[in-house]
Amino acid sequence: MFERLGRRRTIILLALVSITLIALDVRGNRFIDHARSTALDAAAPLRKAGRAIGRPFANAWHGVTDYQDVKSENDRLRDQLEANEGKQISAEAALRDYAELQAEAKLPSIGNIPVVIAQVVGSSPSNLDSTVEINVGSDRGVQVGMPVITPAGVVGRIVAVTPDRSVVRLISSPEFAVGVRISPETDVGTLPDVTTTTSSTTTTTVAPTTTTRPRGRGTTTTAPAETTTTVVPSTTTTVRTAETGIARGTGPGNSLSIQLVFDQAVVEVGDAVVTSGSGAGTVFGSLFPPDLALGRVTKVSSNAGQQSLRVEVRSPIDLQRLTFVTVLLYSPAPAG
Amino acid sequence: MFDLLLEGPWLRFSVLVVVALTVQLGVLAEVRVAGTTGDVMMLLALVAGLAGGPLRGGVAGFVVGLVFDLLLLSPFGVTALTYCLLGYALGFVPTEFVRGAFWVPPLIIFGASAVGTVFYVATETVFGQEGIFTPRVVPMALVVATVNAVLAPLAFRSTRWALLGGDRQRV
């Protein structure tokens, strides 16, 4: 058939079919979604077989290329572990207080969200998709949009689900976006968001002086009390308030970028970045509960010509070495 | 169209597609250089054009791309369009080059894979994928080109056997 059509017409026909499929998918097509879901399930045995065959090669490759990095990282982590042990004690105390306050104020807590633990069974087959595949799906309650985390913080969001598998879009993907809050770096135990102004007035009173002349010689004179008032100049201590914005991925291995931070905002390197949980019902951020760790600010720069700051955030998670993740079975409250 | 699909060459080529998919999903996805992996699906489309000519290259590229699209999150059909055009374009390489010295096909595949990767990213960007056309495309293209060039001799022989069989000519 193709030879009867001719080369050029065949290629034009195939190109038109491709463009038609693209247009259908962009508008949302259930047949294509179902086909993709079926293909994901059908490819699972191929992926498993491929990993079994390729594991020795992959291990040899990583052993050769990653040895020095692993050694250096091991040394760095030992030092970091020692430094963090002290902070952990204070942090646990602060968390207990926080949980009590939440319970008293009847605020939602991440501890109350049901979770599913999942194993990462595959990476993205393409260089352009920043995704991983996990071995839980809709039969465990997983739905599209649910957040995925590890103990170190946010990993990504569920974007495709089959009965027993799901695909997670990672935070490094340019398609990933979430509402965030940038919290100033403070020592554990310091109350945030407080501005205190102190001034004091010191009043010194000197007791009255009494002069007594000998008997018969005159009157008793009493000098009045002297009062001295000293005013100590006021001191103002301001702890920086949290800023909000939208964090987006910028590609594998790159930092996340936060936009919509106004140039009057005070953001410093080292500030902690967590999910804001705001914007329920909107496209950004509404699918994540608040206070999930995203990373720390590594760079702050002004956008030329725009009244905003560009903030770069580095996640502590190595997205290329994920083994187990946690899916939060979280659905935000509807807007309005 | 269906008579062509049922003939031996396309049945053999289907087996090649399954093998390539297994390698892509299970082996290459786990072995990355600078966060980039090879693309044997693109390699299959390119060698189909090199071995079978523009028509077979275009059709094979379309089929391979469509199968790959089923497993990706990008708009369905973008990979099919890209690989179809790449397979078609590589089919115009003169036969004398294809049957020349042993190092010629890998060299052609290296160049075609590098250009093809940039073209693929550009096509994805045109159809709505944001934030992927960055300087990172350059190392990505080099890694894909290198991996494809290394695998090119084996892929070329396999595809030529699958599509051409005995004495069939490039079309």
Side-chain angles (χ1 to χ4, degrees):
Chain A
M1 170 191 171
F2 291 135
E3 289 165 2
R4 279 199 297 274
L5 269 181
R7 284 181 208 166
R8 200 171 294 175
R9 285 179 192 168
T10 303
I11 298 307
I12 290 172
L13 176 66
L14 293 176
L16 287 174
V17 169
S18 299
I19 292 170
T20 304
L21 290 171
I22 293 168
L24 286 173
D25 189 38
V26 165
R27 291 166 60 97
N29 183 279
R30 287 168 68 178
F31 177 75
I32 292 174
D33 292 341
H34 182 69
R36 273 186 157 153
S37 178
T38 306
L40 202 62
D41 280 334
L46 293 180
R47 191 189 289 274
K48 206 171 176 181
R51 288 187 83 183
I53 295 168
R55 188 163 297 136
F57 299 102
N59 288 342
W61 175 260
H62 287 306
V64 169
T65 59
D66 296 344
Y67 173 75
Q68 196 55 44
D69 290 341
V70 169
K71 191 170 177 307
S72 302
E73 192 181 15
N74 190 33
D75 293 338
R76 183 184 64 80
L77 287 172
R78 283 180 190 276
D79 295 337
Q80 193 175 336
L81 185 63
E82 288 176 12
N84 283 346
E85 277 179 5
K87 286 186 183 177
Q88 184 181 353
I89 297 168
S90 304
E92 284 172 357
L95 281 172
R96 274 197 300 274
D97 295 340
Y98 182 58
E100 287 174 8
L101 284 170
Q102 274 191 318
E104 284 178 18
K106 294 187 175 55
L107 294 172
S109 165
I110 189 173
N112 300 331
I113 300 173
V115 301
V116 172
I117 308 294
Q119 184 180 10
V120 176
V121 294
S123 305
S124 168
S126 164
N127 289 316
L128 303 182
D129 280 352
S130 294
T131 61
V132 293
E133 191 175 315
I134 59 176
N135 64 348
V136 294
S138 54
D139 58 359
R140 298 284 299 276
V142 177
Q143 296 176 18
V144 171
M146 286 182 170
V148 180
I149 65 173
T150 66
V154 176
V155 166
R157 171 187 292 142
I158 302 289
V159 291
V161 177
T162 70
D164 60 356
R165 295 210 181 275
S166 302
V167 177
V168 180
R169 173 169 280 141
L170 300 175
I171 56 174
S172 56
S173 168
E175 303 282 309
F176 179 87
V178 63
V180 297
R181 188 176 73 246
I182 306 172
S183 298
E185 185 180 25
T186 56
D187 291 331
V188 175
T190 303
L191 292 173
D193 300 338
V194 171
T195 300
T196 58
T197 303
T198 59
S199 62
S200 61
T201 301
T202 303
T203 303
T204 306
T205 304
V206 179
T209 305
T210 305
T211 303
T212 308
R213 291 181 186 265
R215 196 189 310 173
R217 290 283 180 118
T219 59
T220 299
T221 304
T222 302
E226 293 178 3
T227 302
T228 307
T229 301
T230 307
V231 176
V232 176
S234 65
T235 58
T236 302
T237 303
T238 303
V239 178
R240 290 184 286 128
T241 58
E243 303 291 344
T244 56
I246 307 290
R248 291 180 186 272
T250 58
N254 296 338
S255 301
L256 285 88
S257 172
I258 298 180
Q259 301 158 353
L260 304 185
V261 178
F262 295 107
D263 60 357
Q264 288 88 1
V266 180
V267 177
E268 295 179 3
V269 171
D271 287 351
V273 181
V274 297
T275 54
S276 63
S278 60
T282 64
V283 176
F284 304 114
S286 61
L287 297 174
F288 285 79
D291 298 323
L292 296 176
L294 210 65
R296 288 201 180 270
V297 174
T298 55
K299 186 179 175 185
V300 182
S301 55
S302 297
N303 272 335
Q306 298 177 11
Q307 293 182 344
S308 65
L309 291 179
R310 187 168 184 274
V311 178
E312 291 184 14
V313 179
R314 174 69 66 175
S315 168
I317 304 171
D318 186 348
L319 297 174
Q320 293 190 8
R321 298 216 175 112
L322 293 171
T323 51
F324 288 90
V325 296
T326 301
V327 182
L328 300 182
L329 303 181
Y330 170 79
S331 295
Chain B
M1 174 179 169
F2 293 107
D3 55 351
L4 206 60
L5 284 174
L6 291 174
E7 282 186 31
W10 293 107
L11 203 56
R12 290 196 293 264
F13 189 74
S14 302
V15 173
L16 271 187
V17 172
V18 171
V19 170
L21 200 58
T22 304
V23 171
Q24 184 69 39
L25 292 178
V27 180
L28 292 185
E30 307 302 324
V31 178
R32 292 178 183 259
V33 178
T36 304
T37 185
D39 192 343
V40 292
M41 304 302 280
M42 180 188 290
L43 173 63
L44 204 55
L46 292 173
V47 294
L50 208 60
L55 182 58
R56 288 200 181 91
V59 174
F62 177 81
V63 170
V64 169
L66 207 62
V67 169
F68 206 19
D69 268 327
L70 288 169
L71 301 170
L72 302 178
L73 294 180
S74 51
F76 187 77
V78 170
T79 315
L81 175 66
T82 308
Y83 288 7
C84 172
L85 296 176
L86 287 175
Y88 177 68
L90 219 63
F92 286 103
V93 172
T95 308
E96 305 82 63
F97 284 129
V98 175
R99 291 181 183 172
F102 70 94
W103 48 269
V104 174
L107 191 63
I108 295 172
I109 292 298
F110 181 91
S113 297
V115 172
T117 301
V118 177
F119 178 60
Y120 186 27
V121 174
T123 310
E124 291 264 9
T125 305
V126 165
F127 286 106
Q129 295 286 90
E130 295 178 354
I132 55 174
F133 206 93
T134 64
R136 187 182 159 253
V137 171
V138 174
M140 189 194 304
L142 286 175
V143 171
V144 171
T146 304
V147 172
N148 285 2
V150 168
L151 297 174
L154 179 62
F156 183 69
R157 284 184 191 163
S158 308
T159 308
R160 193 163 58 180
W161 161 80
L163 289 182
L164 299 185
D167 300 322
R168 295 177 69 122
Q169 298 294 314
R170 297 173 82 210
V171 178

